[in-house]
């Protein structure tokens, strides 16, 4: 049982893309597509990526994919954090997580999302735990999609579905 309070709806100035850029974000194929980076041991339990540090330090799993410089991308991931470690997700032009955009949480579970504007032709998704302890973190439902700001370019949306009454259309 749960209660919902203070719900609001608003129009956002962007459209979520439909083409998934992450390989195996549901972890049904084990750790395929994901690389351990910085003191990480990766395994999968019940379609959740389990990241355990090999030493008491930051550890992460990464995956690279093609991006277009200047376009904005969104990464979303669900997590379980049984020991209140610091959970981080990010997107970066480097496999080592440098120059990245991160969002973090110390909650016991939840979903994290960030937006990132690509600065290179390859971007890396990063799933991390950033605490000096040896506790595992679990990730699931990892998704990276392109963010569109032009309503006329909605994939499979069609002109009438993506334009609303009152919009001004310029044809260049």
């Amino acid at each position: 049982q749960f209660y919902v309070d203070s719900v609001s709806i608003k129009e956002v100035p962007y459209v979520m893309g439909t083409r998934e850029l992450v390989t195996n974000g549901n972890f049904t194929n084990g750790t395929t597509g994901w690389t351990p980076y910085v003191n990480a041991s990766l395994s999968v339990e019940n379609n959740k990526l389990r990241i355990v540090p090999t030493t008491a330090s930051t550890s992460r799993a990464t995956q690279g994919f093609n991006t277009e410089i200047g376009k904005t991308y969104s990464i979303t991931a669900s997590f379980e954090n049984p020991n209140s470690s610091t959970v981080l997700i990010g997107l970066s032009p480097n496999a080592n997580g440098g120059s990245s955009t991160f969002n973090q949480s110390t909650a016991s579970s939840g979903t994290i999302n960030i937006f990132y504007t690509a600065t290179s032709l390859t971007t890396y998704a990063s799933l991390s735990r950033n605490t000096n302890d040896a506790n595992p973190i679990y990730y699931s439902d990892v998704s990276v999609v392109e963010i569109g700001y032009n309503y006329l370019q909605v994939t499979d949306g069609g002109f009438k579905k993506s334009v609303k009454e009152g919009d001004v259309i310029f044809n260049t």
Side-chain angles (χ1 to χ4, degrees):
Q1 181 177 4
F2 65 91
Y3 299 95
V4 178
D5 188 13
S6 188
V7 176
S8 64
I9 298 174
K10 65 178 183 174
E11 184 177 9
V12 294
Y14 58 85
V15 178
M16 299 296 279
T18 56
R19 185 174 61 102
E20 183 58 56
L21 300 174
V22 164
T23 301
N24 194 29
N26 60 7
F27 305 104
T28 56
N29 293 319
T31 61
T32 300
W34 295 93
T35 303
Y37 191 88
V38 186
N39 307 316
S41 173
L42 307 181
S43 62
V44 173
E45 295 177 7
N46 300 318
N47 292 340
K48 295 175 185 165
L49 179 67
R50 181 177 185 247
I51 302 176
V52 179
T54 55
T55 62
S57 68
T58 300
S59 54
R60 72 174 53 103
T62 63
Q63 181 178 136
F65 46 87
N66 295 330
T67 51
E68 188 175 326
I69 295 171
K71 291 228 175 180
T72 301
Y73 299 86
S74 167
I75 181 172
T76 304
S78 296
F79 66 89
E80 290 179 19
N81 183 15
N83 299 294
S84 298
S85 300
T86 302
V87 176
L88 298 105
I89 67 166
L91 292 172
S92 170
N94 307 301
N96 67 4
S99 302
S100 59
T101 301
F102 274 110
N103 195 352
Q104 66 182 22
S105 176
T106 55
S108 60
S109 65
T111 300
I112 307 177
N113 175 263
I114 62 163
F115 287 11
Y116 170 79
T117 302
T119 58
S120 67
L121 296 176
T122 303
T123 296
Y124 294 87
S126 177
L127 308 175
S128 304
R129 50 160 327 284
N130 191 29
T131 304
N132 289 325
D133 62 39
N135 297 312
I137 299 287
Y138 299 86
Y139 284 99
S140 61
D141 304 315
V142 179
S143 175
V144 175
V145 294
E146 181 181 318
I147 301 299
Y149 289 94
N150 183 341
Y151 287 101
L152 295 178
Q153 295 177 355
V154 177
T155 304
D156 299 327
F159 184 77
K160 289 184 177 180
K161 196 172 187 179
S162 60
V163 177
K164 60 188 178 303
E165 186 174 293
D167 282 352
V168 177
I169 309 302
F170 293 95
N171 185 352
T172 58

